[in-house]
Amino acid sequence: MWRGVIALAAAAALASCSVNPLAGPASPLDSARARNQSRHVSERFEDHPVVIDDPSGVETSRLFFSASETVVVTDGTVEAQLRGASVAVTAHAPMISYSPQRHVEVIREIERLKAHTVLTVGQVALAPTTGALRLQRDPGGLEALHTMTSLRFDIRDVPGSGDPGAAVSAVAGLPGDPPTWLRTPDAPAIMPGAAARPFPLQSRRDADMAPVVVATRESSLASVTNARSFGASVEVLDEPDPRRSDGALYAMAGLADGALIALGPQFGSAAELTRNIMQAEE
């Protein structure tokens, strides 16, 4: 009797695992939804879309980094930010774009991070310090990257200020390993006292539990850099509205009530993005 029961149970289990040949393959939308929803995301991130308007990198630094021994601070030029991103992503350090109007905000973020070493790239008006916080200025060039990190960098030439969108895609595509210098035709400004000194490397922070992060060519370089420095992948979309682009839809499918970070005001508010995802999936 029990043998028959066991046989019936085994047959039922086998039938439940069988694929229905009439069902056909999953649609691209279903596959994208399943892929996005299967990610294991850290509980530190909200379980709904979050839109971050962050031209300076301070907001994404707060989002991704609870603390950091090192920080990269650049001026607002594309060439300085690409150089800074090359170091920050390799060192897993947050990057902030400096301007005189944000001086106090930048100082406060460095203090919040409890940083010990700050590397400036370009014209950054932070005063050299002594004591626990070391401020060092990037002298530029390939050899300085080796001296600062003890790593050999590949070189990738990027258009620079002539094509900011290409710069965003270049940062999103930084591999981290091997280290890559995103070199531009115009070099960043070099401040007096610049010299290559060791810049400590840190481990990636995401532990393979980062949320989906999306950007467009209009996203800020600092925000994309911070996501990559954290360890998250960043998908650069051709269009921020998932109702107007299959690529955007597949990147965000199933995440109307899931962890999703959208970099830039072009995505609308969090409520608008949530609604757009739901409408696109209908």
Side-chain angles (χ1 to χ4, degrees):
M1 174 181 176
W2 287 110
R3 185 178 299 174
V5 171
I6 294 172
L8 287 173
L14 181 62
S16 67
C17 295
S18 300
V19 177
N20 183 356
L22 300 179
S27 70
L29 177 57
D30 289 338
S31 297
R33 184 185 296 113
R35 180 181 66 251
N36 293 339
Q37 293 179 334
S38 67
R39 298 172 68 98
H40 183 57
V41 178
S42 170
E43 293 181 355
R44 64 183 290 186
F45 297 104
E46 302 286 348
D47 58 355
H48 59 78
V50 174
V51 177
I52 300 181
D53 181 7
D54 184 27
S56 69
V58 168
E59 293 301 323
T60 45
S61 174
R62 291 171 181 162
L63 174 67
F64 291 115
F65 296 88
S66 58
S68 178
E69 293 183 4
T70 56
V71 183
V72 177
V73 181
T74 75
D75 67 29
T77 63
V78 172
E79 52 266 26
Q81 290 184 80
L82 286 176
R83 171 85 173 181
S86 303
V87 176
V89 172
T90 299
H92 300 293
M95 187 181 91
I96 301 171
S97 176
Y98 176 89
S99 70
Q101 295 76 19
R102 301 189 188 111
H103 182 87
V104 173
E105 183 182 29
V106 172
I107 293 296
R108 287 177 177 170
E109 180 58 12
I110 292 171
E111 292 174 346
R112 184 195 69 82
L113 289 165
K114 298 180 174 62
H116 299 304
T117 304
V118 176
L119 173 68
T120 69
V121 183
Q123 294 185 339
V124 176
L126 294 179
T129 60
T130 58
L133 180 65
R134 298 189 302 272
L135 187 144
Q136 51 199 60
R137 303 195 186 281
D138 173 35
L142 181 61
E143 189 58 33
L145 295 175
H146 171 63
T147 301
M148 289 188 288
T149 65
S150 298
L151 299 172
R152 292 295 180 187
F153 277 66
D154 292 343
I155 298 175
R156 177 183 172 189
D157 289 318
V158 182
S161 58
D163 190 351
V168 169
S169 296
V171 172
L174 273 172
D177 184 16
T180 302
W181 174 20
L182 300 178
R183 184 174 64 180
T184 54
D186 296 322
I190 298 176
M191 296 285 285
R197 298 183 177 91
F199 188 74
L201 306 183
Q202 303 177 100
S203 300
R204 56 185 290 175
R205 314 301 180 87
D206 69 312
D208 290 324
M209 293 192 294
V212 171
V213 182
V214 293
T216 71
R217 291 167 63 90
E218 291 74 38
S219 299
S220 75
L221 288 172
S223 65
V224 175
T225 298
N226 285 337
R228 292 293 297 117
S229 296
F230 175 73
S233 298
V234 178
E235 185 164 357
V236 180
L237 309 176
D238 60 346
E239 160 67 50
D241 191 336
R243 299 170 301 178
R244 300 177 181 174
S245 164
D246 285 346
L249 171 58
Y250 298 156
M252 297 184 273
L255 297 178
D257 56 355
L260 170 67
I261 307 297
L263 302 177
Q266 64 273 23
F267 289 94
S269 67
E272 289 170 335
L273 181 57
T274 298
R275 183 176 65 249
N276 292 345
I277 294 171
M278 295 175 66
Q279 291 177 352
E281 291 190 70
E282 291 177 350

